Amino acid sequence: MSTTDDTTVPAPPPATPGKPEKPAKPKAVPVTPIVPGATVAGRALIAVVAIMTFLAALTIGSVMAVRSTAGAWRSDVTREVTIQIRAGDKAVTDAQVRAAVDLAQQTPGILEAHVLTETETGRLLEPWLGAGLDYSDLPVPRIVVLRLDPAASPDLARLRRTLTDRIPTAALDDHRTWSRRLGAMAEGVMITGFGLLALVGVATVLSVVFATRAAVATNRTIVEVLHFVGARDGFIAAQFQRHFLKIGMQGGILGGVAAAALFGGLMSLPRFGILADPENPGIITWLDPGWLGFGGIAIAVIIIALVTALTSRITVYRTLRTIA
Amino acid sequence: MPRWNLDVQPGPAGPLAAAEDAFRLIQPLAFPLYGGARRLLRFEEGEGVVRFENVGLRYGMGPEVLKDVTFNIEPNSFQFLTGPSGAGKTTLMRLLFLNMKPTRGLISLFGRDVSSLDPDEVAVIRRRIGIVFQDFRLLDHFTTYENVALPLRVLGKEEASYRAEVTELLHWVGLGDRMHVMPPVLSGGEKQRAAIARALIGRPEFLLADEPTGNVDPTLARRLLRLFVELNRSGTSVLLATHDIALMDQFDARRLVIADGRLYVYD
Ligand SMILES: Nc1ncnc2c1ncn2[C@@H]1O[C@H](COP(=O)(O)OP(=O)(O)OP(=O)(O)O)[C@@H](O)[C@H]1O
Ligand SMILES: [Mg+2]
């Protein structure tokens, strides 16, 4: 028995953690995460999540932008109706126009009746007939634009009946055909958009699920060793879930922010004179996803991060079942 | 040089004598972790550590690797598990640490029938068993220190609460100066000792070691054997699988021999 130098025997570890202890060296040992952080598989997964989130966010933003644009067009179109009066003798036509304006103004729900001036009519015809033409000689129909109160719904059917009774050469165009076509188109676009969204959503979830499973599989040894040193299944799953939630958030935010920035950038292009709409300077409505779109992108990011975390958890449990 | 460093300094009498010297250093240590008395209280009278009754095991549709295996392992006992390569030693070990379920027969660990355990109970039983794998299974992204500390970490303990304990054990197995390197740069014998330290840190009541001397020179094998014997003296039951006859001849202990799928016990 070599007990000659008992003084140098290391002090036994303290029985209770409360007792101040003297570790060999209070060297700060950084605690390595149980699931390694910067692995090739981890970075690949971030890339997959970021790309898929970006695509999903683009789809959501576009669908929402198209939806609100179609809606806006439709309400623009239905906010106005026009009365056309075929041109005839100038004096007669003028009287007919005045009569039509009176009739319209007597109809409740019509805010304003505006007779297009010659120049305004000329501008409308310019694309077909060219500029600088003198329209006074031509039998150009006269047009009265009626602005409707969006809150009330004026009785356009009655107005049409009285109008055609009194002025046989007048016709009321409530843009119904247009509105119906636009409506059908908007519906078609929406159905296609949501179908696309569903497909992209499924593709996103599937690729995130498979990429996560592959990334967890590269850590199988860790699952096994943790299992064999007595870690509870819940502890192991929690380690992976935390790690993969972080990966999912990183990738998701990367993709989501990139898509949102892209929309923001496109929307601000007109300010630099690109894609500008002269009637509505500073904004291109057909690219504005609206708060619904941006909100949808944020929700997609959260869902994708959760899918990543949940998949890792399920995969760990499945791995554990194959070990036992 | 740390007090309990086992690294052999070749003395005038050659490496073997030096190893013996190193061992004499360990012997009086009675490493404070392994107070056997406390642990023995946890066994019920006659409970035993392991009980196998007519256990049979086959992989898939293959032949039975183990047939009608019946034996006990008592608290505080030491036994070798031996048999030719492919006889089923690792298979038996896997049954013992609940990595597999037997095709037939009854296995009980610490008095519990293992077929009735839920996953949490399995985790609790695992903590009473230390395992040294034939292939070590150290985690490459952890330092040696973190690998050895893992069984305490998974219990949710704070790093500060076990630092001294782990450091001391690492010195004890001669890895005091290899604490902060990653396993890939350790030598085979160093990995082996790290794997052993990891199995010991949780103060197991039952230690399973699968060919723990398979990768080391005879001198180190002898030192590791002494380490297991010392551990056993402090109250841990040890099952050491090996086909190294020379090693078994160095310590007179019970032998479990597997041949043709059957297990023969030589007390
Ligand atoms: N996962 C498995 N699937 C099918 N057969 C297996 C499996 N693992 C082991 N075996 C077979 O079971 C038998 C026993 O294998 P085992 O690994 O237990 O032997 P061993 O005694 O540990 O050998 P060694 O001394 O070489 O380590 C062998 O014939 C082996 O081929
Ligand atoms: Mg084996």
Side-chain angles (χ1 to χ4, degrees):
Chain A
M1 301 255 294
S2 151
T3 51
T4 50
D5 50 359
D6 268 349
T7 46
T8 63
V9 174
T16 58
K19 197 170 142 197
E21 57 203 43
K22 286 235 165 46
K25 251 169 217 102
K27 185 171 175 176
V29 185
V31 181
T32 313
I34 284 183
V35 185
T39 59
V40 177
R43 274 194 288 264
L45 181 57
I46 290 186
V48 168
V49 172
I51 291 169
M52 292 314 290
T53 311
F54 181 73
L55 292 179
L58 277 192
T59 314
I60 292 173
S62 309
V63 168
M64 288 305 162
V66 167
R67 196 185 89 114
S68 59
T69 306
W73 282 348
R74 210 170 161 184
S75 64
D76 272 357
V77 158
T78 53
R79 225 176 288 143
E80 280 182 358
V81 298
T82 48
I83 300 173
Q84 287 181 38
I85 298 164
R86 232 178 299 140
D89 178 65
K90 178 131 170 56
V92 177
T93 314
D94 280 348
Q96 287 175 330
V97 167
R98 268 193 307 278
V101 169
D102 282 346
L103 265 181
Q105 276 169 345
Q106 282 158 22
T107 311
I110 290 180
L111 297 175
E112 194 194 333
H114 168 67
V115 184
L116 289 196
T117 60
E118 247 173 55
T119 21
E120 285 173 323
T121 316
R123 214 188 296 144
L124 279 182
L125 291 174
E126 217 175 70
W128 287 274
L129 302 179
L133 219 73
D134 182 8
Y135 294 107
S136 49
D137 298 341
L138 292 174
V140 175
R142 305 291 293 276
I143 292 173
V144 184
V145 177
L146 309 181
R147 197 153 63 77
L148 308 181
D149 182 357
S153 54
D155 192 347
L156 293 176
R158 227 187 86 196
L159 178 61
R160 172 178 291 125
R161 249 179 288 125
T162 40
L163 200 63
T164 41
D165 276 357
R166 300 248 196 102
I167 316 161
T169 55
L172 182 81
D173 181 3
D174 61 0
H175 305 171
R176 198 180 287 158
T177 339
W178 264 108
S179 163
R180 222 181 290 134
R181 279 192 200 158
L182 259 179
M185 188 197 83
E187 249 159 57
V189 168
M190 289 320 293
I191 291 173
T192 317
F194 280 117
L196 201 64
L197 197 58
L199 283 180
V200 171
V202 169
T204 304
V205 168
L206 282 182
S207 43
V208 166
V209 163
F210 284 107
T212 306
R213 274 162 64 166
V216 173
T218 63
N219 292 316
R220 190 191 162 91
T221 324
I222 298 174
V223 178
E224 280 180 358
V225 168
L226 287 173
H227 185 60
F228 291 140
V229 301
R232 283 178 207 274
D233 293 359
F235 175 91
I236 304 172
Q239 302 297 319
F240 278 80
Q241 198 179 316
R242 194 178 316 142
H243 175 74
F244 281 91
L245 181 64
K246 219 166 80 189
I247 285 190
M249 299 256 273
Q250 279 174 0
I253 288 173
L254 214 68
V257 166
L262 184 64
F263 281 114
L266 285 174
M267 278 161 58
S268 67
L269 280 183
R271 232 175 283 150
F272 307 102
I274 309 162
L275 289 174
D277 175 355
E279 306 246 312
N280 204 351
I283 172 164
I284 354 175
T285 44
W286 52 273
L287 274 178
D288 180 6
W291 66 268
L292 258 179
F294 286 115
I297 291 175
I299 290 173
V301 169
I302 293 170
I303 290 178
I304 288 167
L306 291 181
V307 164
T308 314
L310 194 68
T311 306
S312 70
R313 177 183 193 84
I314 293 170
T315 312
V316 166
Y317 273 108
R318 192 174 300 167
T319 310
L320 285 168
R321 244 177 290 133
T322 66
I323 293 173
Chain B
M1 185 181 141
R3 174 71 170 74
W4 305 118
N5 195 325
L6 291 188
D7 276 343
V8 180
Q9 307 292 314
L16 203 63
E20 298 287 59
D21 282 347
F23 179 61
R24 269 193 294 278
L25 282 177
I26 305 168
Q27 215 172 17
L29 173 63
F31 191 64
L33 295 175
Y34 308 111
R38 176 192 58 81
R39 172 177 316 123
L40 288 174
L41 292 177
R42 288 172 61 183
F43 290 101
E44 303 286 328
E45 188 67 40
E47 184 181 283
V49 178
V50 174
R51 200 154 61 89
F52 267 51
E53 264 176 38
N54 300 313
V55 170
L57 182 115
R58 63 172 87 240
Y59 286 105
M61 295 274 94
E64 273 202 319
V65 176
L66 297 174
K67 301 177 196 130
D68 284 318
V69 169
T70 300
F71 70 99
N72 287 337
I73 290 179
E74 298 303 325
N76 209 2
S77 60
F78 189 109
Q79 41 263 304
F80 290 108
L81 174 64
T82 187
S85 179
K89 300 183 290 295
T90 300
T91 304
L92 186 67
M93 291 273 184
R94 292 177 66 188
L95 287 171
L96 283 168
F97 67 83
L98 309 176
N99 190 10
M100 281 194 314
K101 289 197 157 58
T103 326
R104 60 189 173 89
L106 179 117
I107 299 178
S108 71
L109 278 173
F110 304 111
R112 294 289 311 270
D113 177 356
V114 298
S115 63
S116 66
L117 298 175
D118 66 35
D120 273 351
E121 289 173 318
V122 168
V124 170
I125 291 222
R126 280 259 171 65
R127 292 169 187 177
R128 300 170 70 176
I129 303 177
I131 313 157
V132 183
F133 294 97
Q134 202 166 358
D135 54 358
F136 319 134
R137 306 224 189 156
L138 299 169
L139 296 180
D140 286 349
H141 70 294
F142 279 174
T143 60
T144 308
Y145 169 87
E146 286 170 328
N147 266 292
V148 171
L150 191 62
L152 301 179
R153 187 166 166 190
V154 304
L155 296 179
K157 292 192 179 177
E158 287 298 315
E159 203 263 339
S161 71
Y162 56 69
R163 192 183 303 155
E165 209 173 315
V166 174
T167 307
E168 190 173 359
L169 180 58
L170 279 165
H171 282 295
W172 197 55
V173 295
L175 290 175
D177 52 354
R178 307 298 279 155
M179 258 197 305
H180 300 297
V181 301
M182 308 287 180
V185 304
L186 294 179
S187 77
E190 286 169 336
K191 281 185 202 162
Q192 191 106 60
R193 281 177 281 161
I196 291 169
R198 186 181 63 192
L200 301 188
I201 193 67
R203 312 174 194 201
E205 296 157 47
F206 181 30
L207 184 89
L208 286 165
D210 197 354
E211 305 278 0
T213 58
N215 299 274
V216 299
D217 60 72
T219 312
L220 185 54
R222 193 184 172 87
R223 271 163 54 196
L224 293 175
L225 174 63
R226 298 285 171 110
L227 201 146
F228 290 122
V229 170
E230 190 57 32
L231 189 68
N232 171 244
R233 289 210 179 115
S234 63
T236 297
S237 303
V238 176
L239 179 66
L240 201 159
T242 182
H243 40 209
D244 183 349
I245 309 264
L247 188 79
M248 286 186 287
D249 285 342
Q250 287 173 33
F251 184 67
D252 189 25
R254 190 172 178 232
R255 292 185 190 185
L256 311 178
V257 181
I258 305 182
D260 300 327
R262 302 199 176 266
L263 185 107
Y264 306 92
V265 179
Y266 298 93
D267 281 300

